[in-house]
mmCIF file of all heavy atoms in Angstrom:
data_model
loop_
_atom_site.group_PDB
_atom_site.id
_atom_site.type_symbol
_atom_site.label_atom_id
_atom_site.label_comp_id
_atom_site.label_asym_id
_atom_site.label_seq_id
_atom_site.Cartn_x
_atom_site.Cartn_y
_atom_site.Cartn_z
ATOM 1 N N LEU C 9 -127.651 -82.417 24.436
ATOM 2 C CA LEU C 9 -128.729 -81.509 24.821
ATOM 3 C C LEU C 9 -129.027 -81.603 26.315
ATOM 4 O O LEU C 9 -129.259 -80.582 26.978
ATOM 5 C CB LEU C 9 -129.977 -81.821 24.004
ATOM 6 C CG LEU C 9 -129.927 -81.423 22.520
ATOM 7 C CD1 LEU C 9 -131.153 -81.950 21.783
ATOM 8 C CD2 LEU C 9 -129.810 -79.923 22.360
ATOM 9 N N ARG C 10 -129.008 -82.805 26.852
ATOM 10 C CA ARG C 10 -129.267 -82.947 28.296
ATOM 11 C C ARG C 10 -128.176 -82.254 29.118
ATOM 12 O O ARG C 10 -128.468 -81.619 30.146
ATOM 13 C CB ARG C 10 -129.367 -84.424 28.669
ATOM 14 C CG ARG C 10 -130.651 -85.089 28.186
ATOM 15 C CD ARG C 10 -130.833 -86.462 28.802
ATOM 16 N NE ARG C 10 -129.804 -87.412 28.369
ATOM 17 C CZ ARG C 10 -129.874 -88.138 27.262
ATOM 18 N NH1 ARG C 10 -130.921 -88.027 26.454
ATOM 19 N NH2 ARG C 10 -128.915 -88.979 26.951
ATOM 20 N N ARG C 12 -126.479 -79.697 28.261
ATOM 21 C CA ARG C 12 -126.631 -78.251 28.151
ATOM 22 C C ARG C 12 -127.867 -77.766 28.899
ATOM 23 O O ARG C 12 -127.875 -76.664 29.450
ATOM 24 C CB ARG C 12 -126.681 -77.833 26.670
ATOM 25 C CG ARG C 12 -125.350 -78.056 25.945
ATOM 26 C CD ARG C 12 -124.240 -77.366 26.705
ATOM 27 N NE ARG C 12 -122.909 -77.645 26.222
ATOM 28 C CZ ARG C 12 -122.126 -78.632 26.648
ATOM 29 N NH1 ARG C 12 -122.566 -79.473 27.552
ATOM 30 N NH2 ARG C 12 -120.905 -78.780 26.190
ATOM 31 N N ARG C 13 -128.910 -78.563 28.940
ATOM 32 C CA ARG C 13 -130.075 -78.199 29.752
ATOM 33 C C ARG C 13 -129.691 -78.099 31.222
ATOM 34 O O ARG C 13 -130.162 -77.220 31.950
ATOM 35 C CB ARG C 13 -131.187 -79.253 29.605
ATOM 36 C CG ARG C 13 -131.986 -79.181 28.346
ATOM 37 C CD ARG C 13 -133.296 -79.944 28.487
ATOM 38 N NE ARG C 13 -133.174 -81.383 28.474
ATOM 39 C CZ ARG C 13 -133.476 -82.184 29.480
ATOM 40 N NH1 ARG C 13 -133.898 -81.675 30.623
ATOM 41 N NH2 ARG C 13 -133.362 -83.497 29.380
ATOM 42 N N ALA C 14 -128.828 -79.019 31.652
ATOM 43 C CA ALA C 14 -128.494 -79.106 33.071
ATOM 44 C C ALA C 14 -127.737 -77.886 33.581
ATOM 45 O O ALA C 14 -127.758 -77.603 34.781
ATOM 46 C CB ALA C 14 -127.671 -80.368 33.320
ATOM 47 N N ARG C 15 -127.089 -77.161 32.693
ATOM 48 C CA ARG C 15 -126.282 -76.035 33.170
ATOM 49 C C ARG C 15 -127.047 -74.708 33.164
ATOM 50 O O ARG C 15 -126.510 -73.684 33.588
ATOM 51 C CB ARG C 15 -125.019 -75.896 32.304
ATOM 52 C CG ARG C 15 -125.257 -75.434 30.889
ATOM 53 C CD ARG C 15 -123.980 -75.334 30.107
ATOM 54 N NE ARG C 15 -124.211 -74.786 28.777
ATOM 55 C CZ ARG C 15 -123.254 -74.568 27.866
ATOM 56 N NH1 ARG C 15 -122.010 -74.859 28.155
ATOM 57 N NH2 ARG C 15 -123.549 -74.062 26.693
ATOM 58 N N ILE C 16 -128.293 -74.707 32.686
ATOM 59 C CA ILE C 16 -129.104 -73.492 32.650
ATOM 60 C C ILE C 16 -130.127 -73.536 33.769
ATOM 61 O O ILE C 16 -130.955 -74.447 33.840
ATOM 62 C CB ILE C 16 -129.831 -73.339 31.291
ATOM 63 C CG1 ILE C 16 -128.843 -73.379 30.129
ATOM 64 C CG2 ILE C 16 -130.645 -72.048 31.278
ATOM 65 C CD1 ILE C 16 -127.891 -72.217 30.088
ATOM 66 N N GLN C 17 -130.075 -72.561 34.653
ATOM 67 C CA GLN C 17 -131.050 -72.479 35.737
ATOM 68 C C GLN C 17 -132.316 -71.765 35.252
ATOM 69 O O GLN C 17 -132.237 -70.833 34.437
ATOM 70 C CB GLN C 17 -130.455 -71.734 36.934
ATOM 71 C CG GLN C 17 -129.259 -72.442 37.545
ATOM 72 C CD GLN C 17 -129.590 -73.876 37.935
ATOM 73 O OE1 GLN C 17 -130.604 -74.136 38.596
ATOM 74 N NE2 GLN C 17 -128.738 -74.813 37.517
ATOM 75 N N PRO C 18 -133.496 -72.176 35.724
ATOM 76 C CA PRO C 18 -134.747 -71.556 35.258
ATOM 77 C C PRO C 18 -134.752 -70.042 35.398
ATOM 78 O O PRO C 18 -135.246 -69.312 34.518
ATOM 79 C CB PRO C 18 -135.809 -72.208 36.146
ATOM 80 C CG PRO C 18 -135.208 -73.498 36.574
ATOM 81 C CD PRO C 18 -133.738 -73.251 36.679
ATOM 82 N N GLU C 19 -134.210 -69.538 36.509
ATOM 83 C CA GLU C 19 -134.206 -68.095 36.737
ATOM 84 C C GLU C 19 -133.435 -67.331 35.659
ATOM 85 O O GLU C 19 -133.728 -66.162 35.375
ATOM 86 C CB GLU C 19 -133.590 -67.788 38.109
ATOM 87 C CG GLU C 19 -134.349 -68.378 39.281
ATOM 88 C CD GLU C 19 -133.891 -69.788 39.632
ATOM 89 O OE1 GLU C 19 -133.248 -70.430 38.772
ATOM 90 O OE2 GLU C 19 -134.180 -70.241 40.753
ATOM 91 N N GLU C 20 -132.465 -68.000 35.044
ATOM 92 C CA GLU C 20 -131.643 -67.343 34.024
ATOM 93 C C GLU C 20 -132.436 -67.045 32.761
ATOM 94 O O GLU C 20 -132.050 -66.175 31.977
ATOM 95 C CB GLU C 20 -130.433 -68.208 33.683
ATOM 96 C CG GLU C 20 -129.465 -68.437 34.829
ATOM 97 C CD GLU C 20 -128.322 -69.348 34.409
ATOM 98 O OE1 GLU C 20 -127.648 -69.028 33.412
ATOM 99 O OE2 GLU C 20 -128.107 -70.380 35.056
ATOM 100 N N VAL C 21 -133.525 -67.779 32.535
ATOM 101 C CA VAL C 21 -134.313 -67.575 31.320
ATOM 102 C C VAL C 21 -135.716 -67.081 31.646
ATOM 103 O O VAL C 21 -136.638 -67.195 30.833
ATOM 104 C CB VAL C 21 -134.390 -68.884 30.495
ATOM 105 C CG1 VAL C 21 -133.026 -69.228 29.914
ATOM 106 C CG2 VAL C 21 -134.920 -70.041 31.341
ATOM 107 N N GLY C 22 -135.880 -66.521 32.864
ATOM 108 C CA GLY C 22 -137.146 -65.903 33.223
ATOM 109 C C GLY C 22 -138.227 -66.846 33.692
ATOM 110 O O GLY C 22 -139.416 -66.483 33.708
ATOM 111 N N LEU C 23 -137.853 -68.057 34.101
ATOM 112 C CA LEU C 23 -138.837 -69.016 34.600
ATOM 113 C C LEU C 23 -138.739 -69.108 36.119
ATOM 114 O O LEU C 23 -137.664 -68.896 36.686
ATOM 115 C CB LEU C 23 -138.594 -70.401 33.991
ATOM 116 C CG LEU C 23 -138.796 -70.526 32.483
ATOM 117 C CD1 LEU C 23 -138.384 -71.909 32.013
ATOM 118 C CD2 LEU C 23 -140.253 -70.244 32.105
ATOM 119 N N PRO C 24 -139.840 -69.427 36.780
ATOM 120 C CA PRO C 24 -139.784 -69.578 38.239
ATOM 121 C C PRO C 24 -138.897 -70.764 38.613
ATOM 122 O O PRO C 24 -138.972 -71.829 38.011
ATOM 123 C CB PRO C 24 -141.244 -69.812 38.642
ATOM 124 C CG PRO C 24 -141.908 -70.314 37.395
ATOM 125 C CD PRO C 24 -141.204 -69.649 36.247
ATOM 126 N N GLY C 25 -138.072 -70.565 39.626
ATOM 127 C CA GLY C 25 -137.145 -71.617 40.005
ATOM 128 C C GLY C 25 -137.551 -72.388 41.234
ATOM 129 O O GLY C 25 -136.843 -73.298 41.660
ATOM 130 N N HIS C 26 -138.672 -72.032 41.841
ATOM 131 C CA HIS C 26 -139.084 -72.717 43.063
ATOM 132 C C HIS C 26 -139.696 -74.071 42.716
ATOM 133 O O HIS C 26 -140.062 -74.352 41.587
ATOM 134 C CB HIS C 26 -140.080 -71.861 43.841
ATOM 135 C CG HIS C 26 -141.288 -71.479 43.044
ATOM 136 N ND1 HIS C 26 -142.346 -72.335 42.828
ATOM 137 C CD2 HIS C 26 -141.602 -70.318 42.395
ATOM 138 C CE1 HIS C 26 -143.262 -71.731 42.092
ATOM 139 N NE2 HIS C 26 -142.832 -70.505 41.822
ATOM 140 N N GLY C 27 -139.810 -74.900 43.699
ATOM 141 C CA GLY C 27 -140.377 -76.222 43.488
ATOM 142 C C GLY C 27 -139.294 -77.273 43.333
ATOM 143 O O GLY C 27 -138.161 -76.978 42.968
ATOM 144 N N ARG C 28 -139.665 -78.503 43.577
ATOM 145 C CA ARG C 28 -138.718 -79.609 43.533
ATOM 146 C C ARG C 28 -138.498 -80.056 42.088
ATOM 147 O O ARG C 28 -139.451 -80.195 41.323
ATOM 148 C CB ARG C 28 -139.252 -80.773 44.369
ATOM 149 C CG ARG C 28 -138.274 -81.933 44.471
ATOM 150 C CD ARG C 28 -138.829 -83.006 45.403
ATOM 151 N NE ARG C 28 -137.912 -84.123 45.512
ATOM 152 C CZ ARG C 28 -138.142 -85.210 46.246
ATOM 153 N NH1 ARG C 28 -139.278 -85.299 46.938
ATOM 154 N NH2 ARG C 28 -137.255 -86.180 46.296
ATOM 155 N N ARG C 29 -137.235 -80.256 41.744
ATOM 156 C CA ARG C 29 -136.885 -80.708 40.399
ATOM 157 C C ARG C 29 -136.107 -82.016 40.491
ATOM 158 O O ARG C 29 -135.172 -82.129 41.271
ATOM 159 C CB ARG C 29 -136.041 -79.655 39.673
ATOM 160 C CG ARG C 29 -136.864 -78.450 39.260
ATOM 161 C CD ARG C 29 -136.011 -77.368 38.612
ATOM 162 N NE ARG C 29 -136.881 -76.295 38.118
ATOM 163 C CZ ARG C 29 -137.224 -76.162 36.846
ATOM 164 N NH1 ARG C 29 -136.745 -76.992 35.944
ATOM 165 N NH2 ARG C 29 -138.029 -75.187 36.476
ATOM 166 N N ARG C 30 -136.490 -82.971 39.645
ATOM 167 C CA ARG C 30 -135.816 -84.269 39.656
ATOM 168 C C ARG C 30 -134.433 -84.194 39.009
ATOM 169 O O ARG C 30 -133.555 -84.987 39.328
ATOM 170 C CB ARG C 30 -136.660 -85.315 38.929
ATOM 171 C CG ARG C 30 -137.949 -85.686 39.659
ATOM 172 C CD ARG C 30 -138.713 -86.740 38.892
ATOM 173 N NE ARG C 30 -139.106 -86.248 37.565
ATOM 174 C CZ ARG C 30 -139.670 -87.013 36.619
ATOM 175 N NH1 ARG C 30 -139.871 -88.297 36.856
ATOM 176 N NH2 ARG C 30 -140.008 -86.489 35.462
ATOM 177 N N VAL C 31 -134.258 -83.263 38.086
ATOM 178 C CA VAL C 31 -132.976 -83.114 37.406
ATOM 179 C C VAL C 31 -132.558 -81.650 37.480
ATOM 180 O O VAL C 31 -133.401 -80.753 37.570
ATOM 181 C CB VAL C 31 -133.064 -83.553 35.923
ATOM 182 C CG1 VAL C 31 -133.348 -85.044 35.827
ATOM 183 C CG2 VAL C 31 -134.127 -82.755 35.185
ATOM 184 N N PRO C 32 -131.243 -81.380 37.445
ATOM 185 C CA PRO C 32 -130.795 -79.981 37.480
ATOM 186 C C PRO C 32 -131.086 -79.277 36.161
ATOM 187 O O PRO C 32 -131.215 -79.910 35.116
ATOM 188 C CB PRO C 32 -129.285 -80.114 37.708
ATOM 189 C CG PRO C 32 -128.935 -81.458 37.139
ATOM 190 C CD PRO C 32 -130.119 -82.332 37.418
ATOM 191 N N GLY C 33 -131.202 -77.967 36.236
ATOM 192 C CA GLY C 33 -131.364 -77.191 35.013
ATOM 193 C C GLY C 33 -132.775 -77.170 34.486
ATOM 194 O O GLY C 33 -133.759 -77.339 35.213
ATOM 195 N N LEU C 34 -132.896 -76.976 33.179
ATOM 196 C CA LEU C 34 -134.202 -76.859 32.532
ATOM 197 C C LEU C 34 -134.807 -78.217 32.223
ATOM 198 O O LEU C 34 -134.096 -79.171 31.897
ATOM 199 C CB LEU C 34 -134.059 -76.074 31.217
ATOM 200 C CG LEU C 34 -133.638 -74.613 31.313
ATOM 201 C CD1 LEU C 34 -133.510 -74.015 29.915
ATOM 202 C CD2 LEU C 34 -134.625 -73.807 32.150
ATOM 203 N N ARG C 35 -136.119 -78.272 32.306
ATOM 204 C CA ARG C 35 -136.842 -79.465 31.858
ATOM 205 C C ARG C 35 -136.989 -79.419 30.340
ATOM 206 O O ARG C 35 -136.922 -78.351 29.724
ATOM 207 C CB ARG C 35 -138.224 -79.522 32.512
ATOM 208 C CG ARG C 35 -138.216 -79.577 34.029
ATOM 209 C CD ARG C 35 -139.632 -79.775 34.551
ATOM 210 N NE ARG C 35 -139.691 -79.859 36.013
ATOM 211 C CZ ARG C 35 -140.041 -78.859 36.812
ATOM 212 N NH1 ARG C 35 -140.365 -77.695 36.278
ATOM 213 N NH2 ARG C 35 -140.067 -79.026 38.119
ATOM 214 N N ARG C 36 -137.250 -80.587 29.755
ATOM 215 C CA ARG C 36 -137.449 -80.634 28.304
ATOM 216 C C ARG C 36 -138.640 -79.769 27.891
ATOM 217 O O ARG C 36 -138.600 -79.097 26.859
ATOM 218 C CB ARG C 36 -137.663 -82.081 27.857
ATOM 219 C CG ARG C 36 -136.429 -82.948 27.994
ATOM 220 C CD ARG C 36 -136.654 -84.361 27.540
ATOM 221 N NE ARG C 36 -137.652 -85.049 28.356
ATOM 222 C CZ ARG C 36 -137.958 -86.345 28.215
ATOM 223 N NH1 ARG C 36 -137.348 -87.079 27.288
ATOM 224 N NH2 ARG C 36 -138.866 -86.910 28.980
ATOM 225 N N GLU C 37 -139.685 -79.798 28.705
ATOM 226 C CA GLU C 37 -140.876 -79.012 28.375
ATOM 227 C C GLU C 37 -140.554 -77.511 28.342
ATOM 228 O O GLU C 37 -141.109 -76.767 27.519
ATOM 229 C CB GLU C 37 -141.983 -79.284 29.406
ATOM 230 C CG GLU C 37 -142.509 -80.714 29.407
ATOM 231 C CD GLU C 37 -141.619 -81.679 30.192
ATOM 232 O OE1 GLU C 37 -140.564 -81.223 30.709
ATOM 233 O OE2 GLU C 37 -141.967 -82.863 30.270
ATOM 234 N N GLU C 38 -139.675 -77.087 29.225
ATOM 235 C CA GLU C 38 -139.322 -75.671 29.276
ATOM 236 C C GLU C 38 -138.477 -75.267 28.070
ATOM 237 O O GLU C 38 -138.657 -74.176 27.518
ATOM 238 C CB GLU C 38 -138.582 -75.387 30.582
ATOM 239 C CG GLU C 38 -139.484 -75.525 31.805
ATOM 240 C CD GLU C 38 -138.713 -75.563 33.113
ATOM 241 O OE1 GLU C 38 -137.515 -75.916 33.091
ATOM 242 O OE2 GLU C 38 -139.311 -75.250 34.164
ATOM 243 N N VAL C 39 -137.571 -76.140 27.662
ATOM 244 C CA VAL C 39 -136.781 -75.840 26.463
ATOM 245 C C VAL C 39 -137.698 -75.733 25.253
ATOM 246 O O VAL C 39 -137.577 -74.812 24.433
ATOM 247 C CB VAL C 39 -135.705 -76.924 26.240
ATOM 248 C CG1 VAL C 39 -134.973 -76.676 24.925
ATOM 249 C CG2 VAL C 39 -134.711 -76.949 27.391
ATOM 250 N N ALA C 40 -138.628 -76.667 25.134
ATOM 251 C CA ALA C 40 -139.556 -76.644 23.998
ATOM 252 C C ALA C 40 -140.369 -75.356 23.991
ATOM 253 O O ALA C 40 -140.539 -74.711 22.948
ATOM 254 C CB ALA C 40 -140.471 -77.859 24.072
ATOM 255 N N GLN C 41 -140.881 -74.972 25.152
ATOM 256 C CA GLN C 41 -141.679 -73.744 25.244
ATOM 257 C C GLN C 41 -140.868 -72.524 24.823
ATOM 258 O O GLN C 41 -141.337 -71.696 24.025
ATOM 259 C CB GLN C 41 -142.174 -73.572 26.678
ATOM 260 C CG GLN C 41 -142.903 -72.256 26.922
ATOM 261 C CD GLN C 41 -143.177 -72.020 28.407
ATOM 262 O OE1 GLN C 41 -143.066 -72.925 29.218
ATOM 263 N NE2 GLN C 41 -143.527 -70.781 28.755
ATOM 264 N N LEU C 42 -139.657 -72.399 25.344
ATOM 265 C CA LEU C 42 -138.837 -71.228 25.055
ATOM 266 C C LEU C 42 -138.344 -71.208 23.607
ATOM 267 O O LEU C 42 -138.116 -70.138 23.040
ATOM 268 C CB LEU C 42 -137.645 -71.187 26.002
ATOM 269 C CG LEU C 42 -137.999 -70.944 27.483
ATOM 270 C CD1 LEU C 42 -136.779 -71.201 28.360
ATOM 271 C CD2 LEU C 42 -138.498 -69.513 27.678
ATOM 272 N N ALA C 43 -138.187 -72.411 23.011
ATOM 273 C CA ALA C 43 -137.714 -72.482 21.628
ATOM 274 C C ALA C 43 -138.850 -72.373 20.619
ATOM 275 O O ALA C 43 -138.608 -72.246 19.409
ATOM 276 C CB ALA C 43 -136.951 -73.788 21.400
ATOM 277 N N GLY C 44 -140.080 -72.443 21.088
ATOM 278 C CA GLY C 44 -141.223 -72.301 20.199
ATOM 279 C C GLY C 44 -141.551 -73.557 19.407
ATOM 280 O O GLY C 44 -142.052 -73.474 18.283
ATOM 281 N N VAL C 45 -141.259 -74.734 19.971
ATOM 282 C CA VAL C 45 -141.619 -75.995 19.315
ATOM 283 C C VAL C 45 -142.481 -76.799 20.275
ATOM 284 O O VAL C 45 -142.532 -76.528 21.482
ATOM 285 C CB VAL C 45 -140.365 -76.806 18.911
ATOM 286 C CG1 VAL C 45 -139.514 -76.024 17.929
ATOM 287 C CG2 VAL C 45 -139.537 -77.212 20.130
ATOM 288 N N SER C 46 -143.151 -77.816 19.753
ATOM 289 C CA SER C 46 -143.990 -78.634 20.616
ATOM 290 C C SER C 46 -143.121 -79.499 21.519
ATOM 291 O O SER C 46 -141.984 -79.841 21.185
ATOM 292 C CB SER C 46 -144.908 -79.526 19.778
ATOM 293 O OG SER C 46 -144.156 -80.559 19.150
ATOM 294 N N VAL C 47 -143.675 -79.855 22.664
ATOM 295 C CA VAL C 47 -142.943 -80.707 23.600
ATOM 296 C C VAL C 47 -142.643 -82.055 22.964
ATOM 297 O O VAL C 47 -141.536 -82.587 23.085
ATOM 298 C CB VAL C 47 -143.757 -80.890 24.900
ATOM 299 C CG1 VAL C 47 -143.065 -81.897 25.823
ATOM 300 C CG2 VAL C 47 -143.944 -79.555 25.599
ATOM 301 N N ASP C 48 -143.624 -82.617 22.253
ATOM 302 C CA ASP C 48 -143.415 -83.915 21.610
ATOM 303 C C ASP C 48 -142.286 -83.849 20.589
ATOM 304 O O ASP C 48 -141.461 -84.771 20.500
ATOM 305 C CB ASP C 48 -144.714 -84.376 20.940
ATOM 306 C CG ASP C 48 -144.555 -85.732 20.274
ATOM 307 O OD1 ASP C 48 -144.343 -86.721 20.991
ATOM 308 O OD2 ASP C 48 -144.621 -85.779 19.027
ATOM 309 N N TYR C 50 -139.709 -81.781 20.555
ATOM 310 C CA TYR C 50 -138.414 -81.672 21.218
ATOM 311 C C TYR C 50 -137.996 -82.998 21.846
ATOM 312 O O TYR C 50 -136.808 -83.388 21.771
ATOM 313 C CB TYR C 50 -138.426 -80.581 22.289
ATOM 314 C CG TYR C 50 -137.092 -80.472 22.984
ATOM 315 C CD1 TYR C 50 -136.042 -79.778 22.387
ATOM 316 C CD2 TYR C 50 -136.852 -81.123 24.193
ATOM 317 C CE1 TYR C 50 -134.791 -79.727 22.991
ATOM 318 C CE2 TYR C 50 -135.610 -81.071 24.802
ATOM 319 C CZ TYR C 50 -134.581 -80.374 24.189
ATOM 320 O OH TYR C 50 -133.342 -80.339 24.785
ATOM 321 N N ILE C 51 -138.934 -83.703 22.463
ATOM 322 C CA ILE C 51 -138.604 -84.990 23.088
ATOM 323 C C ILE C 51 -138.104 -85.972 22.034
ATOM 324 O O ILE C 51 -137.106 -86.680 22.243
ATOM 325 C CB ILE C 51 -139.825 -85.558 23.834
ATOM 326 C CG1 ILE C 51 -140.120 -84.697 25.069
ATOM 327 C CG2 ILE C 51 -139.587 -87.014 24.235
ATOM 328 C CD1 ILE C 51 -141.380 -85.106 25.805
ATOM 329 N N GLU C 54 -134.577 -85.013 21.054
ATOM 330 C CA GLU C 54 -133.589 -85.368 22.069
ATOM 331 C C GLU C 54 -133.374 -86.876 22.125
ATOM 332 O O GLU C 54 -132.285 -87.339 22.481
ATOM 333 C CB GLU C 54 -134.024 -84.840 23.436
ATOM 334 C CG GLU C 54 -132.896 -84.806 24.449
ATOM 335 C CD GLU C 54 -133.239 -84.034 25.705
ATOM 336 O OE1 GLU C 54 -133.183 -82.788 25.687
ATOM 337 O OE2 GLU C 54 -133.564 -84.706 26.716
ATOM 338 N N ALA C 68 -132.955 -71.814 17.427
ATOM 339 C CA ALA C 68 -133.824 -71.440 18.550
ATOM 340 C C ALA C 68 -133.433 -72.218 19.804
ATOM 341 O O ALA C 68 -133.355 -71.653 20.903
ATOM 342 C CB ALA C 68 -135.287 -71.700 18.187
ATOM 343 N N ILE C 69 -133.185 -73.508 19.645
ATOM 344 C CA ILE C 69 -132.766 -74.318 20.797
ATOM 345 C C ILE C 69 -131.415 -73.837 21.318
ATOM 346 O O ILE C 69 -131.189 -73.747 22.526
ATOM 347 C CB ILE C 69 -132.703 -75.808 20.393
ATOM 348 C CG1 ILE C 69 -134.112 -76.323 20.108
ATOM 349 C CG2 ILE C 69 -132.023 -76.641 21.486
ATOM 350 C CD1 ILE C 69 -134.150 -77.724 19.523
ATOM 351 N N GLY C 70 -130.523 -73.501 20.388
ATOM 352 C CA GLY C 70 -129.211 -72.992 20.784
ATOM 353 C C GLY C 70 -129.302 -71.702 21.578
ATOM 354 O O GLY C 70 -128.538 -71.501 22.541
ATOM 355 N N ARG C 71 -130.219 -70.836 21.197
ATOM 356 C CA ARG C 71 -130.402 -69.578 21.944
ATOM 357 C C ARG C 71 -130.903 -69.859 23.352
ATOM 358 O O ARG C 71 -130.443 -69.241 24.328
ATOM 359 C CB ARG C 71 -131.365 -68.654 21.201
ATOM 360 C CG ARG C 71 -130.748 -67.981 19.967
ATOM 361 C CD ARG C 71 -131.639 -66.848 19.478
ATOM 362 N NE ARG C 71 -132.941 -67.328 19.019
ATOM 363 C CZ ARG C 71 -133.190 -67.737 17.784
ATOM 364 N NH1 ARG C 71 -132.226 -67.739 16.876
ATOM 365 N NH2 ARG C 71 -134.409 -68.137 17.436
ATOM 366 N N VAL C 72 -131.837 -70.782 23.484
ATOM 367 C CA VAL C 72 -132.371 -71.121 24.805
ATOM 368 C C VAL C 72 -131.267 -71.700 25.689
ATOM 369 O O VAL C 72 -131.152 -71.349 26.874
ATOM 370 C CB VAL C 72 -133.531 -72.129 24.669
ATOM 371 C CG1 VAL C 72 -133.965 -72.629 26.052
ATOM 372 C CG2 VAL C 72 -134.714 -71.500 23.941
ATOM 373 N N LEU C 73 -130.437 -72.560 25.114
ATOM 374 C CA LEU C 73 -129.404 -73.242 25.893
ATOM 375 C C LEU C 73 -128.109 -72.444 25.960
ATOM 376 O O LEU C 73 -127.127 -72.911 26.542
ATOM 377 C CB LEU C 73 -129.138 -74.623 25.282
ATOM 378 C CG LEU C 73 -130.338 -75.575 25.262
ATOM 379 C CD1 LEU C 73 -129.953 -76.902 24.626
ATOM 380 C CD2 LEU C 73 -130.892 -75.793 26.664
#
Side-chain angles (χ1 to χ4, degrees):
L9 288 173
R10 287 191 294 274
R12 293 306 172 269
R13 282 198 286 116
R15 69 180 185 179
I16 305 294
Q17 297 305 311
E19 298 89 342
E20 297 178 55
V21 291
L23 295 174
H26 56 79
R28 185 176 180 181
R29 287 177 174 259
R30 291 181 298 173
V31 295
L34 295 178
R35 300 186 179 100
R36 292 180 297 185
E37 295 81 358
E38 292 167 337
V39 175
Q41 174 189 346
L42 293 169
V45 299
S46 71
V47 174
D48 181 66
Y50 180 80
I51 291 175
E54 197 168 281
I69 292 172
R71 285 193 296 272
V72 172
L73 299 180

